[in-house]
Amino acid sequence: SPFILATVIDLTVHKQMEEALHEQARVMELAQVLVLDLDCRIVLWGLGAENFYGFTREEAIGRVAYELFHTEFSTPLEDIKAQLHSTGRWEGELRHRKRDGRVVVIMSMWVLYRDTAGQPSRILATYADITTRKQAEAALEAGGMGTWSWDFSQGLPGGGRRAVQAARPGTGCAGGWKA
């Protein structure tokens, strides 16, 4: 008599895991994230990076990131790499040039990824454009905005009547001080 062996496998969990991986890949594609090799060559360039910087995937993959962006480092690159290898992360400000020539200030965080053997293999770099914030900070500093002292004995700000007059409405100072 013939013998039939049947195996039934529930693929639901496998299918759910596969869908979750595809969703994570789509999120990474849209995020402002770069993946670099240990020589800072770009190995992953998604739509988020393309939209922000203006370079296509073909123009970016394989390029050294700091050469492509003409990066100005707030900390020497050697120090960044040393911290990355000792602590597994680095965070700081960088200046990058976009494809159209505009220079942007970014807050970047680099995380060192280790392979299954524990060896460093990739750098995950995230970035956020803080150019507008830095411009606003510079404008506030240039405009004399900031902390005011107060002379309680005269009931006036520390600069006396001149400071009060300069701070009246219409002079660009928020708050509308009055003498």
Side-chain angles (χ1 to χ4, degrees), residues 27-28 31-36 44 49 52-53 69 84 89-94 96 105-112 123-130:
V27 168
M28 285 293 290
Q32 291 182 318
V33 172
L34 302 176
V35 177
L36 313 171
L44 183 133
F52 180 73
Y53 286 109
F69 305 135
L84 189 60
R89 63 185 312 126
W90 174 82
E91 187 174 337
E93 290 180 15
L94 303 171
H96 282 174
V105 181
I106 64 164
M107 176 57 70
S108 186
M109 183 172 70
W110 296 10
V111 176
L112 186 63
I123 300 167
L124 176 69
T126 63
Y127 52 94
D129 185 357
I130 60 169

Side-chain angles (χ1 to χ4, degrees), residues 54-121:
F55 296 100
T56 65
R57 184 179 316 243
E58 293 76 24
E59 293 171 309
I61 296 290
R63 298 279 306 271
V64 176
Y66 56 82
E67 291 174 358
L68 180 65
F69 305 135
H70 303 276
T71 302
E72 295 175 34
F73 293 92
S74 57
T75 303
L77 181 58
E78 296 76 28
D79 294 350
I80 292 171
K81 286 183 174 183
Q83 181 178 344
L84 189 60
H85 284 278
S86 68
T87 67
R89 63 185 312 126
W90 174 82
E91 187 174 337
E93 290 180 15
L94 303 171
R95 295 175 72 83
H96 282 174
R97 187 179 310 155
K98 293 181 164 193
R99 189 170 196 270
D100 65 8
R102 286 183 294 148
V103 175
V104 291
V105 181
I106 64 164
M107 176 57 70
S108 186
M109 183 172 70
W110 296 10
V111 176
L112 186 63
Y113 173 78
R114 296 180 183 276
D115 63 19
T116 55
Q119 297 301 309
S121 66

